[in-house]
Amino acid sequence: LNDPHVDDGDENTERGNWANKKEYILSMIGYAVGLGNIWRFPYLAYKNGGGAFLIPYFTMLVLTGIPLFFLESALGQFCSQGPINLWRAVPILQGVGVAMVMVTLIVSIYYNVIIAYSLYYMFASMQFPLPWSSCSSNSSCSETPTVYCNVSGVLMANWTQENITCPSSSIMPVSVQTPSEHYWDRVALQRSSGLDETGPVVWHLALCLLLSSIIVAAALIRGIKSSGKVVYFTATFPYVVIVILLIRGVTLEGARDGIEFYIGSQSNLTKLTEAEVWKDAATQTFYSLSVGWGGVMTLASYNNFHNNVFKDSFVVSLTNAGTSVFAGFAIFSILGHMAHIYKMPVGEVVKEGFGLAFIAYPDALSKLPISPLWSILFFFMLLTVGLDSQFAGIEVITTCLLDAFPKLFKSKHALLTLTTSSILYLLGLPCVTRAGIYWVTLIDQFVASWVLLFLALLEVAGVAYIYGGNRFIKDIEMMLGKKTFAFWLWWRACWFFISPCIIVILVWSVITFVPPTYGEVPYPPWGLALGWLMIAFILLWIPAVAVYKLIKAKGNPWKRLKSLCSPSDKWHPYLDVHRGERYSEERCRHRKSHNNKFV
């Protein structure tokens, strides 16, 4: 058994297990805590009524986040298989597993690119003064926030920031960029005019992408055995940085205004009557916990069979939510200081996503003494936050291949990881051309969207209604031991009724679909068509696999459907030891003949 991915102490001698419980928890936290916790949540809280937003956020966490997280972890741990083979429980829905892997595959392409941006900015921070602290002689860049009016070809400065009063409404104001916007657009991205103008590959980004791919491949070279060691650092270090930035931020002038805006006295409870706020809370909970991507199941599949997966779900979910709230303080205290320097209201300097991470926050950091230090720390944090989410994404892909073809890939784990990373690197190259940011935004807005909600919905409905919620509860009790009726009452309510109500949110998101843009730049029709094609490519696996299985099954149509809605013979705990009475060979044979008798 000279397989490097299995240790002597592993319960599962074929697939291997986590070296210890800490590595699993840290990997899970590292996976769940992603860039969204830092650049999306604080902005959403600010936008949706500050401290008041915590009410819908934690409500949604308890009603949909934790139940789905528990469901996915328990499924993965029970059968010790990745997100495709796990659907032996409900063979007709195996396409959902394939779709999840496809989402992860596509998202891993652009997530790698965001890690590359962080690397580039981290290296760029190693100079004084920071390159985005002032304008390099350039006409379209200004260090004082102003608006210019283009009157018959003559530029006139106009200092009334509040409302842009240009002499004639037909005349477009000329946009003037701040140094950090200019640096992001012209230096880092070398951004073209739109998706139509691809331009050459930006070589410094391509090199950073290569470095990012190498780091990920090196961390995963021995699967969870090596990545389990790396997460000791990547999952804990972001907290160190957030604490450092928070202490630095709170001691600055104007920090208080920033925090008031984020969660303090500016909170607005009337926002809770708006549906949009609840929708934001639900989707943020979802994306933040990474439910519906297959990663939770994959990481849980390497657990020991009797691990307390219930407790873990709470630990990870609550840590993840706490991180989001905590990171917001570090972000807003420093943005408050920047607003104070610019003498602008905080609301005007707040951004989300790339705008926060690569424009507003670096700009604010450049105003501090010893700015390169804070900047290096911040981008190093973004790097570590992104890396361990990427580890899990690639682990999903390799685990599915390993589980599908165990004999073929068993001894070639390192080769499999290197090949996967190389392919992702090549697929990421269009995202580091001059039009790269448009590709990244396109994939992000189409793929990491309601598609995930839809997959999670099929997952919870499949387990609760087709597989049978009560049967699933018995499976969990095989792992955790007996629980009281009252204990399961709550989980039954969530799995059977409350969580599927996500459908409502889902349908509503689809109805209010706004075609994505990057800043002011709209996408060409072919770009939007490509976005819909990506969605089709993911979702088509669901009917395709179902139809394929129906064709391959035996008997009349009703019998075929019935057999595909009941677990396959291969659905059982991985090791014989754990199969117990319910999944013993004898029982399986009996179940099969019993099914045939009644058809």
Side-chain angles (χ1 to χ4, degrees):
L1 253 180
N2 56 355
D3 186 1
H5 312 108
V6 178
D7 293 339
D8 299 338
D10 285 352
E11 175 183 87
N12 188 329
T13 51
E14 288 168 35
R15 282 177 97 249
N17 294 97
W18 293 104
N20 57 48
K21 179 73 177 255
K22 282 202 287 291
E23 295 188 7
Y24 165 65
I25 292 284
L26 287 173
S27 297
M28 271 296 206
I29 288 172
Y31 175 50
V33 173
L35 295 160
N37 298 61
I38 290 164
W39 74 23
R40 186 108 182 91
F41 177 85
Y43 174 82
L44 280 180
Y46 151 78
K47 187 183 89 163
N48 290 322
F53 182 66
L54 295 181
I55 298 168
Y57 182 70
F58 279 97
T59 308
M60 286 300 178
L61 184 70
V62 170
L63 295 181
T64 64
I66 297 176
L68 280 164
F69 197 85
F70 179 34
L71 177 111
E72 288 200 359
S73 313
L75 277 171
Q77 183 174 308
F78 181 75
C79 66
S80 303
Q81 292 284 306
I84 295 182
N85 282 356
L86 177 139
W87 286 98
R88 289 166 176 168
V90 191
I92 198 157
L93 285 181
Q94 192 147 32
V96 176
V98 183
M100 284 180 175
V101 177
M102 292 304 158
V103 169
T104 296
L105 180 71
I106 295 174
V107 168
S108 297
I109 296 170
Y110 82 81
Y111 216 79
N112 217 1
V113 176
I114 299 174
I115 297 172
Y117 293 159
S118 308
L119 276 168
Y120 174 74
Y121 264 80
M122 187 177 85
F123 295 137
S125 303
M126 296 177 181
Q127 50 185 303
F128 186 82
L130 289 173
W132 52 85
S133 58
S134 61
C135 289
S136 52
S137 57
N138 190 302
S139 55
S140 67
C141 165
S142 155
E143 288 169 47
T144 43
T146 59
V147 176
Y148 286 95
C149 290
N150 194 346
V151 185
S152 62
V154 184
L155 281 176
M156 288 172 22
N158 175 1
W159 286 86
T160 46
Q161 184 63 40
E162 298 315 307
N163 46 354
I164 300 171
T165 46
C166 282
S168 152
S169 59
S170 61
I171 295 164
M172 283 288 293
V174 178
S175 70
V176 174
Q177 294 182 309
T178 62
S180 60
E181 285 170 335
H182 180 264
Y183 186 82
W184 165 246
D185 263 348
R186 298 279 162 265
V187 184
L189 296 180
Q190 299 178 12
R191 180 162 70 87
S192 69
S193 60
L195 201 58
D196 291 315
E197 189 196 333
T198 307
V201 167
V202 180
W203 69 267
H204 58 243
L205 290 180
L207 283 179
C208 288
L209 186 66
L210 183 65
L211 180 58
S212 155
S213 303
I214 291 170
I215 296 171
V216 173
L220 285 166
I221 200 83
R222 294 179 58 229
I224 58 159
K225 294 296 179 196
S226 52
S227 71
K229 302 287 178 278
V230 180
V231 290
Y232 278 116
F233 179 71
T234 58
T236 54
F237 187 73
Y239 294 98
V240 178
V241 179
I242 293 173
V243 170
I244 295 172
L245 289 174
L246 183 62
I247 294 169
R248 173 69 273 210
V250 181
T251 53
L252 294 168
E253 215 177 340
R256 177 135 182 225
D257 305 336
I259 289 171
E260 295 277 322
F261 255 88
Y262 169 48
I263 231 156
S265 60
Q266 302 282 338
S267 292
N268 178 3
L269 281 162
T270 54
K271 283 269 192 189
L272 297 188
T273 55
E274 296 173 22
E276 183 77 22
V277 173
W278 291 85
K279 177 192 145 188
D280 277 350
T283 46
Q284 179 60 18
T285 301
F286 248 91
Y287 300 145
S288 184
L289 280 173
S290 310
V291 175
W293 305 70
V296 176
M297 303 164 175
T298 303
L299 295 177
S301 73
Y302 292 102
N303 274 332
N304 289 340
F305 188 75
H306 292 295
N307 169 53
N308 189 344
V309 67
F310 172 70
K311 196 177 74 187
D312 298 350
S313 303
F314 270 91
V315 170
V316 175
S317 308
L318 294 172
T319 305
N320 177 57
T323 307
S324 302
V325 178
F326 186 46
F329 286 103
I331 299 281
F332 271 85
S333 58
I334 290 184
L335 289 182
H337 176 63
M338 178 163 95
H340 168 78
I341 289 178
Y342 279 147
K343 299 188 173 45
M344 291 159 83
V346 179
E348 288 194 18
V349 297
V350 177
K351 291 183 161 70
E352 64 163 333
F354 298 120
L356 173 68
F358 299 109
I359 298 172
Y361 208 71
D363 187 2
L365 293 174
S366 71
K367 304 280 179 277
L368 305 180
I370 32 175
S371 51
L373 171 69
W374 312 117
S375 192
I376 291 170
L377 275 175
F378 174 70
F379 290 111
F380 194 45
M381 174 186 71
L382 283 190
L383 172 69
T384 51
V385 160
L387 276 176
D388 38 27
S389 300
Q390 185 74 348
F391 293 163
I394 302 211
E395 193 57 61
V396 169
I397 301 161
T398 51
T399 297
C400 281
L401 289 168
L402 274 165
D403 286 344
F405 312 104
K407 291 191 176 63
L408 182 62
F409 290 126
K410 184 88 171 71
S411 53
K412 306 188 183 67
H413 199 301
L415 188 67
L416 183 62
T417 304
L418 289 170
T419 310
T420 309
S421 298
S422 309
I423 291 170
L424 283 175
Y425 173 70
L426 293 173
L427 289 173
L429 284 175
C431 297
V432 290
T433 57
R434 293 202 169 165
I437 191 75
Y438 303 115
W439 287 105
V440 170
T441 312
L442 186 76
I443 303 172
D444 183 48
Q445 302 214 353
F446 273 99
V447 177
S449 62
W450 56 268
V451 177
L452 289 162
L453 296 170
F454 186 69
L455 295 178
L457 183 72
L458 286 177
E459 170 185 80
V460 71
V463 172
Y465 294 110
I466 304 177
Y467 180 69
N470 294 336
R471 179 191 285 176
F472 180 50
I473 284 169
K474 287 204 184 82
D475 290 343
I476 297 176
E477 286 186 332
M478 283 173 69
M479 300 188 287
L480 302 185
K482 283 266 174 275
K483 300 276 186 206
T484 60
F485 175 74
F487 173 87
W488 288 120
L489 197 63
W490 164 249
W491 298 102
R492 278 195 177 100
C494 287
W495 291 331
F496 280 106
F497 307 110
I498 302 172
S499 299
C501 287
I502 305 159
I503 285 192
V504 182
I505 298 163
L506 163 86
V507 171
W508 192 50
S509 307
V510 179
I511 292 169
T512 57
F513 178 79
V514 182
T517 56
Y518 177 78
E520 303 289 305
V521 185
Y523 279 92
W526 66 266
L528 297 176
L530 206 70
W532 286 107
L533 277 175
M534 282 190 278
I535 289 181
F537 170 71
I538 291 164
L539 294 181
L540 275 175
W541 288 96
I542 301 169
V545 171
V547 169
Y548 172 75
K549 284 190 174 287
L550 282 167
I551 294 169
K552 295 263 301 203
K554 295 182 174 64
N556 60 31
W558 173 242
K559 186 178 167 184
R560 291 181 186 203
L561 186 65
K562 198 164 174 250
S563 74
L564 288 181
C565 288
S566 48
S568 80
D569 303 341
K570 290 181 178 165
W571 169 254
H572 48 64
Y574 196 90
L575 301 175
D576 295 338
V577 195
H578 299 134
R579 289 182 197 169
E581 182 58 26
R582 295 181 62 225
Y583 288 93
S584 63
E585 294 293 322
E586 193 53 44
R587 180 80 184 262
C588 287
R589 276 204 295 277
H590 173 72
R591 193 172 68 200
K592 212 171 166 65
S593 60
H594 175 86
N595 276 353
N596 293 345
K597 214 181 303 174
F598 284 88
V599 173

